[in-house]
Amino acid sequence: MINQHYLSMLEHKSVIRELAEYAGRRGKEIGYENVFDFSLGNPSVPAPESFKNAAVNLLETMEPLALHGYTPSAGSPYVKEKVAASLKRRFGIAYKPEHIFPTSGCAAALAHALRAVTEPGEDVLVFAPFFPEYVPYICDTGANIRIVPPDLPDFQINFEALEEMLAPETGAVLINTPNNPSGAVYTEETLQRLGDVLREYSKRFGHTIFLISDEPYREICFDGKKCPYPAAYYDNTLTCYSFSKSLSIPGERIGYVAVNPACEQSDKMDLIFAQISRGIGHNCPASLIQLAIARTLDDTADLSVYETNMNLLYDTFRDLGFSVPRPGGTFYIMPKAPEVSAEAFCRKALKYDLVFVPCEGFHAPGYFRVAYCIDTEKVERSLPVIRKFVREEYGTPGSRS
Amino acid sequence: MINQHYLSMLEHKSVIRELAEYAGRRGKEIGYENVFDFSLGNPSVPAPESFKNAAVNLLETMEPLALHGYTPSAGSPYVKEKVAASLKRRFGIAYKPEHIFPTSGCAAALAHALRAVTEPGEDVLVFAPFFPEYVPYICDTGANIRIVPPDLPDFQINFEALEEMLAPETGAVLINTPNNPSGAVYTEETLQRLGDVLREYSKRFGHTIFLISDEPYREICFDGKKCPYPAAYYDNTLTCYSFSKSLSIPGERIGYVAVNPACEQSDKMDLIFAQISRGIGHNCPASLIQLAIARTLDDTADLSVYETNMNLLYDTFRDLGFSVPRPGGTFYIMPKAPEVSAEAFCRKALKYDLVFVPCEGFHAPGYFRVAYCIDTEKVERSLPVIRKFVREEYGTPGSRS
C-alpha cells in the first residue's frame, strides 16, 4: 500500500519553500529584480571556467567506455586518491584513498556517515540552530535526534548543555561549521574543547562517540581567515563535504565523506559505506562529475561577493539596532527580530518585498535568516528598503523596546 | 557505535565480484585478452556520439548558474516533460511530467518505488531467478522479500506458485523483463495474465498490490521485436528505468521512475518520492546528466553486438547439448550446468580461463550466467575453448548423462 508516513509528510510544507514560491509569484507581478528575495541558499556566482574545461576535456578526450563506465561502489580510485592528497596537503591529516568516499553531495555524505556510526535507537546530538533537513537525515536511519540548546549570543557550543545531554545512548554528535543559518564559525578553542569532551565521555561510557562534521560552507570564510578543520581536533571524525558552494555546482550533487585515518575502523569505512549504498540506492555520484572535480579540487568560484554582501547587511542591521552575530563564513546572517515572533516580523517584511526566513524551523526562535547569495547590486538596493521597513514598522532604534 | 549490521555485511563476499577480481588478476598474468571474462554486466559498446555532443553543448552554451544549479527535488521540470512525452509516444500511455521522477540509476529508482508503495513489514514478491541486489534493495526498506519459484524451462511466470504466495500482506510484486540473469522477456500473454491476477487479488484483499517493473534492459531486445511494456497491462505500475545499458553510461547514474497515470496517487507520487529522498540522501541525479539525457532520450548505443554474441553462444551451448533457454533480450544467457553444482562447473571452467557465474545467488541453482557484453571477436575466440572444456570435462553430448 501507499506508505502513509511519506504521504503524511506532504502536508508539512517547508516555510523556506513557501517563501521562495511567494517570491517567485511576486516576481511575476512586479519583476523579479524588484523582489528582495533573501530566502534560498543557492550559490549566486558562476562555477569557475576550470570546471567547465575539465568536463569538456574529459568528454572530448577520454574513451567513452572508461569515462561513462561503472565506478567501483566505493568510488573511483583516482578520485579517492586526488581528494585524499588535497586534504592531506591542506589540513595535514594523512588521508589515504580508502578514507575517501565520493557521494552525491552532502545529503548523501550524511546519509552514509550517520548510518555507519550509529545503531537504530541511538541518539545523535545536534546544536541549535541547525539545518532543518537534519531531522529526516537522522530520523530516517532509526536514530533519535536530540537538540542541544544554542550558545547565545555567539552560537559557538553550549558546553554545559552538551555535557548534560551526552548519555550512554549517544552514538554521534553532528556539527555544522561554518553554520547555516547563523554564519558562525567554530573557533579552535571551541573545537579543542569539543574534542576534549567527546574523548572524556567516550571513555566514561566505554564506547566511541563519533563526530560527524557537515562542512559545505568550509571555503566561504571571511576576514582572510581559514575555517578551523574539526577533524584535526578529534580522531573519530567523519567529515562530510560538498562542492555545491565552493564550485557553485549544487545541481551536480558531488561531495564526499573523509574518514580521519585515526578513526575507529577507518580502513574499512569506505567498504561499510558501500554496503549502506546498496540499501539506499546510492551507487556513487556521476562518473563524469567525479572525474571533473578531481581536476578542480583546489579551485573555487569567486566567493568574495558573499563577504561584500555580508558586510553591507551586517552594518545595516547593526545601525538599525538589531542584535546580530557577525558571520565568520557562509552566505547567511541571522539577526534577532525586533519582536518576539520572527514569523510576524518576516510577514511584515513581505509588504516591502523583503523575503526573509523566520528561524523557528532552525530551532532559533525569534531570529530570522537572510541568505545573501544574490548580486551585490541587489543587496545595495535592498538596504534603503530594509531601513524604511524597520523605521516604519518598529520606529527608530532609540524608540524601540 | 559502528553499525554492526553493515560491518557484518563485509564478510559476505559477492561471487560475481570475486570472479571478476580473479579475472583481473589472471589477466595480469596472461594478458586480459586471453581471459574469457563473462562475469560482469558492464556495457561493452561506447555511448553514442549524441550523448557527448549534448553534454559538451550544454557546457559550452548554457549559463553555468542555470546548468549547475539546484534542480527541484522532484527533478528538472524540463526533463520530466521530455521523458513523459517520449514514453507517451512510444508506449501510448498518457504520462505527464508529474508522473516522472528522475533518479540516480535503477538502484535509486527501486529505492524510491519500493518505499513509496510498501509499508515496513509488508511482503514484496520477486520471481526466481533475480538480480541478487534485490535482497538489500527490498530488505533495507523494512519490507520482506518473498521468492516465487521459477517457471521452468522458459522463465516466464509460475502463476500457480504466485497465486499461492499472494497474501493480504503483499504490498508489491517486483518483476524484471528482459531478465537478468536468464535473458527471458515476458510475453504479452504473461503480462496480461499477471495483470489479471493482480487485479483479482487486489480486489480480494481490499487493497492495491503494486507492480514495480525493473527495466534497465528494455531496449536490448532480439529478433527485431520490441519488449512488451508491463505498465500497459496493469494500471498500478511503477516503471523503473536506467539509461545505463541503452546509452552505455552506467557510471553516470541516470534513470527514472515512471508512474502509470492510472496508478493510485499517481499525481502525488513524485512528491512522495521527493520526501523519500530526504531520508536516504538522494536529492536528484546530476543536473548536467539529467539535461544531457533529455536531449538523447530516443537514442541508443549500437546494441546489435549483443544479439550477435547471443546467437554465437546460444548455438554453441545448444550444439554441446546444454539445456539453455534462448534469450529474448539483455546481454545474458543462462544455460543449465551439466552437473548438479553450477559452482563446481564454473570452477572447472576457470582452468580454461572461462569465467562464468554460478546462479545460486540468483536463485537459479544448477544454472550459470554468461554475460556477453564483450567484443564479438573475443566471443568468437572463446567458442573453441568452451567446446574443448566441455568435451574434456564432460565428454561428447551423446556420452553425457
Side-chain angles (χ1 to χ4, degrees):
Chain A
M1 56 186 282
I2 299 281
N3 188 297
Q4 297 300 303
H5 167 65
Y6 294 119
L7 190 62
S8 71
M9 282 171 82
L10 293 186
E11 286 156 33
H12 303 283
K13 277 237 160 187
S14 147
V15 177
I16 302 181
R17 196 158 288 269
E18 276 185 32
L19 284 165
E21 282 168 10
Y22 168 84
R25 285 197 305 275
R26 181 70 178 144
K28 280 183 189 158
E29 287 169 30
I30 62 168
Y32 191 71
E33 70 283 6
N34 297 314
V35 182
F36 300 106
D37 183 3
F38 292 103
S39 67
L40 280 182
N42 283 353
S44 61
V45 290
E49 196 75 359
S50 60
F51 181 80
K52 182 190 90 175
N53 293 341
V56 170
N57 182 263
L58 286 160
L59 286 158
E60 299 280 17
T61 62
M62 198 165 159
E63 276 291 325
L65 277 174
L67 175 57
H68 303 303
Y70 279 114
T71 50
S73 51
S76 153
Y78 174 79
V79 175
K80 289 157 75 89
E81 192 188 320
K82 286 283 184 185
V83 172
S86 165
L87 289 176
K88 186 178 171 186
R89 194 167 56 242
R90 294 189 56 202
F91 301 113
I93 294 178
Y95 290 106
K96 290 186 200 151
E98 61 264 34
H99 302 126
I100 307 300
F101 181 77
T103 61
S104 300
C106 253
L110 289 165
H112 286 83
L114 285 162
R115 282 167 173 80
V117 300
T118 65
E119 291 280 356
E122 284 191 338
D123 289 343
V124 176
L125 270 50
V126 300
F127 298 88
F130 61 89
F131 182 44
E133 288 298 290
Y134 285 178
V135 177
Y137 290 179
I138 291 168
C139 296
D140 199 78
T141 69
N144 307 306
I145 188 168
R146 304 238 302 146
I147 301 162
V148 182
D151 174 55
L152 297 173
D154 294 326
F155 299 105
Q156 294 288 312
I157 286 179
N158 182 337
F159 281 102
E160 203 170 300
L162 170 63
E163 291 201 50
E164 261 174 39
M165 292 178 69
L166 282 167
E169 304 80 65
T170 308
V173 166
L174 169 55
I175 60 172
N176 171 222
T177 173
N179 181 266
N180 173 11
S182 73
V185 173
Y186 285 173
T187 62
E188 291 187 36
E189 191 193 359
T190 295
L191 292 171
Q192 185 59 54
R193 191 165 162 196
L194 176 62
D196 290 343
V197 167
L198 294 181
R199 273 182 288 274
E200 182 191 329
Y201 280 80
S202 292
K203 202 169 160 189
R204 190 179 297 182
F205 299 143
H207 67 80
T208 300
I209 301 168
F210 290 89
L211 179 62
I212 301 176
S213 179
D214 179 27
E215 306 179 14
Y217 301 97
R218 186 206 293 152
E219 311 306 336
I220 311 179
C221 211
F222 303 145
D223 306 312
K225 291 185 188 157
K226 297 256 174 254
C227 297
Y229 186 64
Y233 301 85
Y234 189 62
D235 286 348
N236 285 296
T237 301
L238 284 70
T239 301
C240 295
Y241 187 73
S242 160
F243 294 92
S244 295
K245 277 76 183 183
S246 61
L247 286 173
S248 276
I249 52 169
E252 304 304 351
R253 315 300 313 143
I254 181 77
Y256 57 78
V257 188
V259 181
N260 188 314
C263 178
E264 199 181 300
Q265 299 282 4
S266 68
D267 293 352
K268 277 187 197 155
M269 202 73 90
D270 64 337
L271 303 177
I272 293 174
F273 292 147
Q275 296 302 322
I276 293 168
S277 290
R278 296 169 69 189
I280 61 175
H282 179 260
N283 287 34
C284 283
S287 50
L288 170 63
I289 308 297
Q290 283 194 58
L291 292 169
I293 62 101
R295 293 182 176 196
T296 52
L297 280 178
D298 299 329
D299 296 352
T300 66
D302 176 5
L303 305 172
S304 64
V305 59
Y306 302 134
E307 185 160 5
T308 306
N309 293 355
M310 182 277 287
N311 279 315
L312 290 168
L313 287 160
Y314 176 73
D315 291 347
T316 299
F317 282 115
R318 250 198 31 168
D319 285 353
L320 286 166
F322 282 70
S323 164
V324 51
R326 187 167 189 279
T330 73
F331 38 56
Y332 306 112
I333 190 169
M334 191 178 76
K336 198 164 191 302
E339 62 178 300
V340 172
S341 164
E343 214 172 307
F345 171 83
C346 293
R347 214 175 307 116
K348 288 176 192 161
L350 286 181
K351 290 190 285 179
Y352 296 78
D353 295 314
L354 292 164
V355 189
F356 303 138
V357 173
C359 283
E360 274 79 3
F362 294 88
H363 286 262
Y367 288 81
F368 62 100
R369 189 185 78 168
V370 183
Y372 45 84
C373 36
I374 61 175
D375 286 348
T376 299
E377 176 271 332
K378 199 169 188 176
V379 173
E380 281 168 341
R381 278 195 292 122
S382 79
L383 301 179
V385 183
I386 293 173
R387 283 193 209 101
K388 181 164 183 277
F389 156 52
V390 172
R391 288 204 177 115
E392 285 181 5
E393 299 285 337
Y394 299 94
T396 53
S399 66
R400 284 198 273 135
S401 60
Chain B
M1 57 186 283
I2 298 279
N3 187 298
Q4 297 301 303
H5 167 65
Y6 294 119
L7 190 61
S8 70
M9 283 172 81
L10 295 186
E11 285 155 35
H12 303 282
K13 277 237 158 187
S14 146
V15 177
I16 301 180
R17 197 158 287 270
E18 275 184 34
L19 284 165
E21 283 168 10
Y22 169 84
R25 284 196 306 275
R26 181 72 177 142
K28 280 182 189 158
E29 287 168 29
I30 62 168
Y32 190 72
E33 71 282 7
N34 297 314
V35 182
F36 301 106
D37 182 4
F38 292 102
S39 67
L40 279 181
N42 283 352
S44 62
V45 290
E49 195 76 0
S50 60
F51 181 79
K52 182 189 91 176
N53 294 341
V56 170
N57 183 263
L58 286 161
L59 286 159
E60 299 278 18
T61 62
M62 197 166 160
E63 276 291 326
L65 277 174
L67 175 58
H68 303 303
Y70 279 113
T71 50
S73 50
S76 154
Y78 173 80
V79 176
K80 289 157 75 89
E81 193 189 318
K82 287 282 184 185
V83 172
S86 165
L87 289 176
K88 185 177 172 187
R89 193 168 58 242
R90 294 189 57 203
F91 301 112
I93 294 180
Y95 290 106
K96 291 186 200 150
E98 62 265 33
H99 302 126
I100 307 300
F101 181 77
T103 60
S104 300
C106 253
L110 289 166
H112 286 84
L114 285 162
R115 282 166 176 80
V117 299
T118 65
E119 291 280 355
E122 284 190 339
D123 289 345
V124 176
L125 269 51
V126 300
F127 298 87
F130 62 89
F131 182 43
E133 288 299 290
Y134 285 178
V135 178
Y137 289 0
I138 291 168
C139 296
D140 198 79
T141 70
N144 308 306
I145 187 168
R146 305 238 302 146
I147 301 162
V148 182
D151 173 56
L152 296 174
D154 295 328
F155 299 105
Q156 295 287 313
I157 287 179
N158 182 337
F159 281 101
E160 203 171 298
L162 170 62
E163 292 201 49
E164 262 174 39
M165 292 179 67
L166 282 167
E169 305 79 67
T170 308
V173 166
L174 170 55
I175 60 172
N176 171 221
T177 173
N179 182 266
N180 173 13
S182 73
V185 174
Y186 285 173
T187 62
E188 291 187 37
E189 191 195 0
T190 295
L191 292 171
Q192 184 61 53
R193 189 164 165 200
L194 176 63
D196 291 342
V197 167
L198 294 181
R199 273 182 289 275
E200 181 192 330
Y201 281 79
S202 292
K203 201 169 162 190
R204 188 179 298 181
F205 299 143
H207 68 81
T208 301
I209 301 169
F210 291 88
L211 179 63
I212 301 176
S213 179
D214 179 26
E215 306 179 14
Y217 301 96
R218 185 206 292 152
E219 311 306 337
I220 311 178
C221 211
F222 303 146
D223 304 312
K225 292 186 188 156
K226 296 258 173 253
C227 297
Y229 185 63
Y233 301 85
Y234 188 62
D235 287 347
N236 286 296
T237 301
L238 284 68
T239 302
C240 296
Y241 187 72
S242 160
F243 294 91
S244 294
K245 277 76 182 183
S246 61
L247 286 173
S248 276
I249 52 170
E252 305 303 350
R253 313 302 312 142
I254 181 78
Y256 57 76
V257 188
V259 181
N260 189 315
C263 177
E264 198 180 301
Q265 298 282 3
S266 69
D267 294 350
K268 277 189 196 153
M269 202 73 90
D270 64 338
L271 303 177
I272 293 174
F273 292 147
Q275 296 301 323
I276 293 168
S277 290
R278 296 169 69 189
I280 61 175
H282 179 259
N283 288 34
C284 284
S287 49
L288 171 63
I289 307 298
Q290 282 195 57
L291 292 168
I293 62 102
R295 295 183 175 196
T296 51
L297 281 177
D298 298 329
D299 297 350
T300 65
D302 176 5
L303 305 172
S304 62
V305 59
Y306 302 134
E307 184 160 4
T308 307
N309 293 353
M310 183 277 288
N311 280 314
L312 290 168
L313 287 160
Y314 176 73
D315 291 347
T316 300
F317 282 114
R318 250 196 31 166
D319 286 352
L320 286 166
F322 283 70
S323 164
V324 52
R326 187 168 189 277
T330 73
F331 37 56
Y332 306 111
I333 189 168
M334 191 178 76
K336 197 164 192 302
E339 63 178 301
V340 173
S341 165
E343 214 173 307
F345 172 82
C346 294
R347 212 175 309 119
K348 287 178 193 160
L350 287 181
K351 289 189 284 178
Y352 295 79
D353 294 314
L354 293 164
V355 188
F356 303 138
V357 173
C359 284
E360 273 79 2
F362 294 86
H363 286 260
Y367 288 81
F368 60 101
R369 188 185 79 168
V370 182
Y372 45 83
C373 36
I374 61 175
D375 286 348
T376 299
E377 175 272 330
K378 199 169 187 178
V379 173
E380 282 168 340
R381 279 195 291 123
S382 78
L383 301 178
V385 183
I386 293 173
R387 282 191 209 101
K388 180 165 183 276
F389 155 54
V390 172
R391 288 203 176 115
E392 285 181 3
E393 301 283 338
Y394 300 94
T396 54
S399 66
R400 284 198 273 137
S401 61

